[in-house]
């Protein structure tokens, strides 16, 4: 059967346990996204005594700090890799992340419009975003969130989405979930690629990469550029006719040196320079937005340098890492600068992973993160310990504790436990509990207005606690799967701006709960169908439904991937009705996208994409428009 990227059966190393007659891999992390999950395949092979034994190949989850197979991960993790991104034709990381059930995205217009990601109802500022293990959240923004508008997929190898509070793993800010992005690694020998793509709205996207890997080390260099005339950010149906364009350039580098005794020195660097046009504030217009001469320029840089040193015969792995993230933002109105901000984060990390034996793994670590914005600084120190225990081959238990000490808000301890159990080979049961906390941002502790004499010095950190339970079943045929997850999360001491005091204060709490469902099936050798759905009920302490959050969302994908040169995917996305910040409602919407690829040879490929096939008019944020029927074609050469 051909490998369908939407129901892919990836090959990777699997763990074995003494005395087990078979090792059963269970696909996906908790109810993993069908199109974005890693799945596992069991292959029968004859043993010496004539009995069939089972060998499975399983993708490894790294975002949980302890490398685990998907069958061992008790947390909810959705994995999206480069093959799936290519199969769906996504140019922007935002579209890939939106495929995970329980993830909601909002963008104020397209082509560079501010884009946020919410996990299970938590705010975008409560989503920690990592690139190669380094936080890239904007230290200068009011809530400290990350803007996905400029993140291209051309340099992404995989994305892991960890749902629920994860502060035990990743410290402050991981109060609602984590999006962990891994950039592409160099391959063996000399290789690379070139691609060019042109489409509607005067859009051009192109890029190139070169890499080399050998015994001494490896490197990869890449560049991607996107230019577009765009569409009006403010909805054109409201009489806005001025197009708002985007220009963005991304350069990236990754490589390493192989040192004696298995040690390795490696690093990565991602730099992005973007300039985008946007519309102005127009009081009384829908969403208070309309045509205007506004422009923003953003420069982002993130990178890390790490030393990896194994000891005790490869049983004790040590990691020393220094990471850095910077962002510079400027806005211009009618050609004059109207806003500027700069945020910086510097990370120092040590992590030691000890494989005590085949059933026990211990992780100990220490971190320090220093942040600065607008001439103000903050720092936080963290110590963490994680333990994995496999009492029997069918059960994996993971637990952890972390203590973070913020220079202003003091110490905070968070905990986490997770379990994965396979009572029978076709069924996996998962459960996890975790805590999160987020100290006030630099902006929240320094900003005041409206007659207030000073910023509120009584702010408290936001705190959350979440649980989830789920089950996943896969038939003996290995042709599909179905999974269901129930989750609940409570967040206290939410920080919001109050005109009454002219600053920020702890004024709210949120309870969110819901169900995530995913399923997939190989209909034939060539056709596969996958679907996912999320129901989220999130309310503030007074019972008011959370704004800009649909109760119902999901998608349906039909892929065609035979053994021949042609492959394609039809993707239907659905977003339920939402409540706007002013109390009005945004209608639900559904959109159909089509992606196709044709391999002219092993190295040369043609690809094309049609977005919004039925020219649906919809808004993600009140007053901001979205593109209608549009498309692009391109060519890619690999060497």
């Amino acid at each position: 059967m051909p490998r369908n990227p939407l129901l892919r059966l990836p090959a990777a190393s699997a763990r074995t346990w003494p005395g087990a007659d078979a090792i059963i891999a269970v696909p996906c992390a908790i109810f993993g996204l069908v199109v974005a999950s890693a799945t596992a395949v069991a292959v029968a092979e004859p043993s010496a005594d004539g009995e069939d034994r089972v060998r499975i190949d399983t993708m490894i989850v790294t975002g949980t700090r302890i490398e685990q197979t998907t069958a061992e991960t008790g947390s909810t993790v959705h994995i999206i890799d480069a093959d799936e991104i290519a199969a769906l034709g996504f140019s922007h990381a935002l579209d890939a992340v939106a495929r995970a059930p329980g993830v909601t995205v909002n963008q104020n217009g397209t082509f560079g419009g501010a884009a946020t990601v919410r996990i299970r109802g938590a705010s975008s500022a409560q989503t920690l975003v990592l690139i190669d293990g380094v936080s890239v959240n904007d230290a200068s923004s009011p809530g400290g969130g990350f803007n996905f508008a400029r993140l291209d997929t051309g340099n992404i190898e995989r994305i892991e989405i960890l749902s629920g509070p994860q502060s035990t793993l990743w410290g402050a800010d991981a109060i609602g979930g984590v999006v962990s992005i891994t950039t592409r690694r160099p391959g063996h020998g000399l290789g690379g690629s070139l691609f060019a793509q042109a489409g509607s709205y005067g859009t051009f996207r192109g890029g190139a990469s070169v890499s080399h890997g050998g015994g001494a080390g490896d490197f990869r260099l890449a560049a991607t550029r996107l230019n577009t005339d765009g569409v009006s950010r403010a909805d054109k149906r409201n009489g806005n006719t001025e197009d708002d364009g985007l220009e963005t350039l991304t350069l990236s580098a990754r490589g390493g040196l192989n040192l004696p005794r298995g040690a390795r020195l490696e690093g990565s660097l991602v730099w992005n320079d973007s300039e985008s046009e946007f519309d102005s504030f127009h009081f009384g217009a829908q969403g208070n937005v309309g045509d205007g001469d506004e422009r923003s320029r953003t420069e982002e840089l993130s990178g890390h340098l790490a030393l990896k040193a194994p000891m005790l015969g490869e049983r004790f792995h040590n990691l020393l890492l220094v990471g850095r993230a910077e962002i510079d933002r400027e806005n211009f109105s009618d050609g004059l600068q109207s806003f500027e901000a700069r945020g910086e984060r510097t990370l120092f990390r040590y992590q030691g992973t000890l494989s005590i034996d085949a059933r026990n793994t211990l992780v100990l670590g220490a971190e320090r993160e220093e942040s600065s914005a607008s001439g103000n600084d903050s720092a936080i120190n963290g110590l963490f310990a994680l333990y994995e225990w496999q009492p029997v081959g069918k059960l994996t238990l993971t637990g952890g504790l972390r203590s973070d000490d913020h220079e202003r808000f003091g110490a905070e301890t968070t905990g986490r436990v997770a379990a994965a159990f396979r009572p029978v080979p076709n069924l996996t049961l998962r459960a996890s509990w975790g805590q999160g906390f987020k100290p006030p941002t630099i902006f929240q502790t320094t900003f005041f207005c409206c007659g207030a004499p000073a910023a509120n010095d009584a702010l408290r950190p936001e705190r959350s606690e979440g649980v989830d339970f789920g089950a996943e079943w896969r038939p003996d045929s290995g042709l599909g799967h179905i999974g269901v997850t129930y989750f609940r999360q409570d967040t206290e001491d939410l920080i919001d701006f109050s005109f009454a005091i002219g600053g920020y204060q702890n004024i709210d709490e949120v309870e969110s709960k819901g169900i995530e469902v995913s399923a997939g099936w190989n209909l034939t050798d060539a056709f596969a169908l996958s679907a996912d759905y999320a129901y989220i009920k999130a309310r503030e302490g007074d019972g008011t439904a959370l704004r800009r959050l649909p109760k119902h969302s999901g998608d349906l994908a039909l892929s065609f991937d035979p053994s021949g040169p042609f492959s394609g995917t039809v993707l239907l996305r659905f977003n339920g009705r939402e409540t706007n910040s002013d109390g009005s409602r945004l209608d639900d919407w559904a959109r159909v996208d089509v992606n196709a690829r044709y391999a002219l040879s092993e190295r040369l490929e043609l690809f094309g994409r049609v977005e919004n096939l039925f020219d649906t008019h919809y808004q993600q944020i009140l007053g901001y428009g979205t593109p209608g029927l549009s498309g692009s074609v391109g060519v890619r050469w690999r060497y």
Side-chain angles (χ1 to χ4, degrees), residues 17 32 38 52 64 78 183 200 235 330 370 383 395 409 413 431 536:
W17 297 275
D52 284 344
T64 54
H78 307 292
T183 59
S200 304
D235 199 327
E330 290 181 284
E370 300 171 352
L383 298 172
L395 176 64
F409 297 99
T413 300
I536 303 175

Side-chain angles (χ1 to χ4, degrees), residues 164-178:
Q166 305 292 341
S167 286
T168 304
L169 298 176
W170 295 105
D173 296 345
I175 193 169
V178 175

Side-chain angles (χ1 to χ4, degrees), residues 326-519:
E326 302 175 359
I327 182 169
D328 287 283
R329 296 181 290 138
E330 290 181 284
N331 287 356
F332 299 87
S333 180
D334 296 321
L336 300 177
Q337 187 185 69
S338 57
F339 168 83
E340 67 173 333
R342 176 178 176 84
E344 300 176 350
R345 288 177 180 263
T346 303
L347 171 70
F348 304 92
R349 175 184 298 148
Y350 166 76
Q351 178 173 318
T353 303
L354 176 63
S355 298
I356 300 172
D357 55 34
R359 299 178 183 272
N360 296 270
T361 301
L362 173 66
V363 174
L364 297 174
E367 291 180 331
R368 176 178 173 84
E369 184 174 87
E370 300 171 352
S371 302
S372 67
S374 303
N376 298 286
D377 302 315
S378 70
I380 186 169
N381 298 314
L383 298 172
F384 61 90
L386 306 171
Y387 199 89
E388 178 194 82
W389 179 40
Q390 297 174 331
V392 294
K394 297 180 179 181
L395 176 64
T396 301
L397 303 174
T398 310
L401 284 174
R402 182 182 182 110
S403 176
D404 286 289
D405 188 7
H406 193 278
E407 64 178 7
R408 174 171 177 177
F409 297 99
E412 185 81 19
T413 300
T414 54
R416 175 182 180 271
V417 294
F421 178 54
R422 290 159 299 145
V424 294
N426 302 98
L427 180 66
T428 298
L429 305 177
R430 290 185 171 91
S432 69
W433 167 85
Q435 295 175 309
F437 94 104
K438 176 181 172 63
T441 65
I442 292 175
F443 187 91
Q444 290 167 345
T445 57
T446 58
F447 179 78
F448 61 95
C449 71
C450 314
N456 182 7
D457 61 1
L459 283 176
R460 302 181 301 277
E462 299 175 333
R463 295 175 174 84
S464 69
E465 183 174 336
V467 296
D468 56 26
F469 307 92
E472 185 175 29
W473 174 80
R474 177 173 292 273
D476 290 330
S477 64
L479 293 177
H481 85 277
I482 183 169
V484 180
T485 301
Y486 168 81
F487 65 87
R488 175 169 176 164
Q489 179 170 315
D490 297 313
T491 306
E492 299 178 347
D493 291 331
L494 289 180
I495 299 173
D496 202 355
F497 182 79
S498 170
F499 283 103
I501 69 166
Y504 287 87
Q505 62 177 357
N506 301 94
I507 60 175
D508 215 344
E509 61 184 41
V510 168
E511 174 192 283
S512 62
K513 56 186 177 182
I515 296 174
E516 298 165 351
V517 181
S518 69

Side-chain angles (χ1 to χ4, degrees), residues 141-155:
S141 70
F146 177 75
N147 184 357
F148 276 83
R150 298 171 293 273
L151 189 57
D152 194 278
T153 59
N155 190 47

